[in-house]
Amino acid sequence: MHRLLSRYAESIYWLARYVERAENLARILDVNETFSRDSRGWQNWRSILQINRDEERFFEHHDDADADSVIHFYTLDQRNVSSIISAVNLARGNARTLRPLISTEMWIQLNMFSNTLKTMPREALSEPRLARFCNQVKEACQTHTGITEGTFYRDESWFFYQIGRAIERADQTTRLLDVKYHLLLPNEETVGSPLDVSQWNAVLRSAAGYHAFRRVQPSGMTQADVAGFLLFHSRFPRSVKACVHDISNRLSHLRSTYRLIGGAEALEELDELRSVLDDITIDQVIDKGLHEFIDWVQLKLIRIHSELGAAYFGYPALSEQGQAAD
């Protein structure tokens, strides 16, 4: 049995994370464009900076957090390591490192995706066209996922790919919920209003969860319904609970099948997170504070990522060697 090099394990893990990150950022921008149509549109765009903790970096180059500036910052701005184009370029860079392992089809599609973004003019991002751009990004990321599913060899690298994708997906689902939370803060009397319902509807659609949600909840839509679905519904693949269970199962399989040393600390963190997600109810979460619970989940995911890095990628806990986890 050939052992997977640490640098290959790290590259495939980050390849998955960056592709998932690009897709989820496109989803968040798409749903925020819907939010921005109300009277607080300017504030809605600034909330994306707050959620991603990018305000300081953004205002180094911009005076105002208007729609045009924030959209460009998170799409085609290569100075921003959190932008879609940066995520795709980093995915491509990791794919280049992995040429001996990944399929030709995976490499060609990622290379074409990256080149398309590099040649895209800023005019393609104006608000009326933003939905089309976001759809293009989502479709390209989903194409990558399909090609990977159909062509990537099932060895250790496959498990690292799946773990990376699930960690990123869980983190981004919590961020998507936080978008809605931040927008509600200044105007809590709108809870339960038609605007509130339409925004929760948009959150579900941005997570590709609307139709799955309607299978569980054929009518009605409340904060508890949607947040509970995205956090705890184990049969929805983008829910936090489904992702955390997937990470735990993949890591356990990786350790037992390939007899990898390390990862016990990550499994301990996962066990604690799984236990809470299995036992707590959405009503209890809302009573204690949805935002606070999301923050706690995100911190656990950061610790899991850190322990994986220390165990398998050769860098200290909480260090990413220049790769952005937030």
Side-chain angles (χ1 to χ4, degrees), residues 167-230:
I167 286 180
E168 187 68 29
R169 184 172 285 181
D171 178 70
Q172 294 296 334
T173 295
T174 62
R175 290 178 188 274
L176 187 59
L177 280 170
D178 234 8
V179 170
K180 174 61 173 158
Y181 171 84
H182 275 271
L183 293 173
L184 276 178
L185 274 180
N187 197 14
E188 293 184 359
E189 66 270 15
T190 63
V191 174
S193 69
L195 173 62
D196 183 47
V197 172
S198 71
Q199 289 183 339
W200 282 116
N201 185 317
V203 168
L204 281 170
R205 290 187 183 278
S206 73
Y210 177 80
H211 292 288
F213 174 82
R214 280 303 179 207
R215 292 183 65 177
V216 177
Q217 188 83 19
S219 62
M221 185 179 296
T222 66
Q223 174 191 19
D225 293 334
V226 177
F229 180 78
L230 293 177

Side-chain angles (χ1 to χ4, degrees), residues 11 53 61 118 145 185 212 218 244 246 250 269 279-280 305:
S11 289
R53 294 182 282 277
H61 303 285
K118 288 176 183 176
T145 300
L185 274 180
V244 169
D246 191 32
R250 302 279 186 184
E269 296 285 352
D279 293 340
I280 199 168
H305 157 79

